Amino acid sequence: MDSKYLQILEFPKILKRLSQYTAFSAGRDLALALKPSPDLEEAQRRQRETSEARKLLEVKADLSLGGARDVRPLLKSAGLGATLSPADLLDVRATLISGRTLKRAITRLAAQFPLLAAKASRIEECAHVVAEIGRCLNDRGEVVDAASQALARIRHELKEAHERLLDKLNRIVASPANASFLQEPLVTQRGGRYVIPLKADFKGRIPGVVHDQSASGATLFIEPLATVELNNRWRELQLEEEREIQRILAALSALVAEEGSFIERTVEVLAELDLAFAKARYADEIQGVEPHLVPFKVARAKGRKAASSVQHPGSTIQLRKARHPLLDPATVVPIDVHLDDDYFILVITGP
């Protein structure tokens, strides 16, 4: 159909409304790109699919695509060697879990919903990807100790180094010999290093490295020389932890890239199911009725026009209580439209 006529019929506006019933961006893109099909079998298949979706949502009202994301841009990045963030990896995992849940729920009902079950069966669960991301990351996107033996060891040593450092600093600030030199008996941080607040007038009384001073200049924040090595070891372990975390994220990203084609297929099938459910919900909203689609009859001349070059195209249209879906159903007046063998042109007049 010519796009000009689709614009006249306000088809893009209908698609925009339809898209509002989708659950995620990939389904929304399919809804907005939808075009009428000139193929009768394809049109009938689409109608049956929508009817199946309506019935399925009646049977399983809690069915949803919760957690699904269009992660195809992430798959592309991972395929180019990028390291995905924990949030990105969790999106991949949530999408796969959403696909797994839908696949299992719908395929169990294949006898009742064969078209939707056939779609759902194409979903790739990628169970090992789901398991590995879940093993390494918690729900907050933090890399857990169990992600690797090296990370567990580093974090154990990091905890011990931190405790030794703070114990040493606390003994320095708690010492009566240092009480008069300190602004306050506390331990704080400057530039990622632990320091104590020394009165500027007593600079040098506690040997150390100055990292900062107060706005008034009355306080110097120093790292006592007695804790420099402890601070260094604590910082070294922090950097070692960061490197190991990046290694783990890179490995997970490589796994996602390796399974990228299967994950992409899952996203595409989820988008198709999302569109089917959106059409079902929109049909319920406008109280739509599945049409009975019939093939065109063989074109032939009719009646007094038989000797002319004007021929009936073979179309049959019967609309009962039809209304434009964009009009308010509470105020619009439904009409019947009937075109058959006797005539095929309807002239509509008015402003």
Side-chain angles (χ1 to χ4, degrees):
M1 181 181 287
D2 193 312
S3 59
K4 169 186 174 183
Y5 302 126
L6 292 178
Q7 291 289 340
I8 292 173
L9 292 171
E10 298 184 295
F11 190 65
K13 291 183 180 180
I14 295 173
L15 294 185
K16 186 175 181 180
R17 286 199 178 181
L18 171 64
S19 70
Q20 294 171 356
Y21 290 86
T22 57
F24 76 126
S25 60
R28 181 166 60 253
D29 290 344
L30 285 185
L32 293 173
L34 200 60
K35 292 287 188 294
S37 174
D39 183 76
L40 176 61
E41 291 186 2
E42 171 62 15
Q44 289 173 330
R45 187 198 63 78
R46 292 183 185 181
Q47 291 294 332
R48 291 197 305 272
E49 185 180 273
T50 301
S51 294
E52 278 192 17
R54 293 180 77 175
K55 293 174 184 175
L56 176 59
L57 291 177
E58 289 177 4
V59 173
K60 295 187 70 66
D62 60 338
L63 202 64
S64 76
L65 281 84
R69 300 285 187 275
D70 186 358
V71 297
R72 287 175 294 186
L74 302 180
L75 302 179
K76 183 177 180 180
S77 295
L80 293 173
T83 297
L84 302 181
S85 70
D88 291 340
L89 290 165
L90 289 179
D91 279 348
V92 171
R93 182 174 185 268
T95 299
L96 290 172
I97 290 174
S98 177
R100 179 184 67 191
T101 302
L102 270 182
K103 178 180 180 179
R104 296 179 182 181
I106 297 174
T107 52
R108 289 194 192 103
L109 304 172
Q112 296 172 257
F113 311 105
L115 290 176
L116 295 177
K119 277 189 185 296
S121 66
R122 291 163 40 215
I123 290 174
E124 299 285 353
E125 296 189 19
C126 299
H128 59 298
V129 177
V130 172
E132 187 63 7
I133 294 175
R135 186 184 71 82
C136 295
L137 302 177
N138 63 23
D139 292 339
R140 296 186 298 277
E142 299 166 338
V143 179
V144 299
D145 295 358
S148 75
Q149 290 184 347
L151 185 61
R153 174 189 59 77
I154 292 167
R155 285 183 171 168
H156 177 72
E157 292 180 10
L158 185 61
K159 181 181 178 182
E160 289 186 340
H162 186 251
E163 289 175 351
R164 285 196 298 269
L165 173 59
L166 287 183
D167 180 65
K168 182 67 174 178
L169 285 166
N170 284 325
R171 280 190 278 114
I172 290 173
V173 298
S175 171
N178 296 326
S180 60
F181 307 144
L182 300 175
Q183 288 285 13
E184 296 179 77
L186 60 80
V187 177
T188 184
Q189 284 192 46
R190 287 294 187 275
R193 309 279 292 191
Y194 278 107
V195 295
I196 58 176
L198 181 72
K199 295 176 182 178
D201 293 340
F202 294 104
K203 181 180 179 180
R205 292 301 183 91
I206 300 178
V209 180
V210 178
H211 285 281
D212 197 5
Q213 67 178 10
S214 64
S216 65
T219 303
L220 301 176
F221 294 94
I222 71 161
E223 178 183 356
L225 290 180
T227 64
V228 168
E229 286 304 318
L230 293 173
N231 245 326
N232 287 345
R233 180 55 182 159
W234 178 62
R235 184 57 185 155
E236 287 168 4
L237 287 168
Q238 284 181 310
L239 295 174
E240 195 174 340
E241 178 191 31
E242 290 173 9
R243 286 193 294 270
E244 179 61 14
I245 286 174
Q246 284 304 116
R247 188 198 64 77
I248 292 167
L249 295 178
L252 291 175
S253 300
L255 176 62
V256 168
E258 183 180 337
E259 302 298 318
S261 61
F262 301 108
I263 300 172
E264 183 173 6
R265 184 184 308 166
T266 292
V267 173
E268 290 170 352
V269 176
L270 285 174
E272 293 173 13
L273 290 171
D274 190 23
L275 175 59
F277 295 146
K279 289 190 289 186
R281 293 187 178 97
Y282 186 39
D284 284 342
E285 179 66 24
I286 63 176
Q287 300 177 16
V289 177
E290 180 182 357
H292 175 59
L293 303 178
V294 296
F296 278 73
K297 299 176 181 178
V298 177
R300 64 189 185 282
K302 286 297 296 177
R304 290 176 297 177
K305 297 287 186 179
S308 74
S309 60
V310 179
Q311 291 186 325
H312 195 296
S315 56
T316 301
I317 299 177
Q318 292 186 28
L319 303 179
R320 301 191 181 103
K321 295 184 178 180
R323 53 184 170 79
H324 196 296
L326 295 180
L327 298 178
D328 185 354
T331 58
V332 67
V333 178
I335 62 170
D336 295 341
V337 177
H338 181 70
L339 301 177
D340 61 10
D341 291 351
D342 296 325
Y343 53 92
F344 61 89
I345 296 176
L346 178 65
V347 178
I348 301 175
T349 63

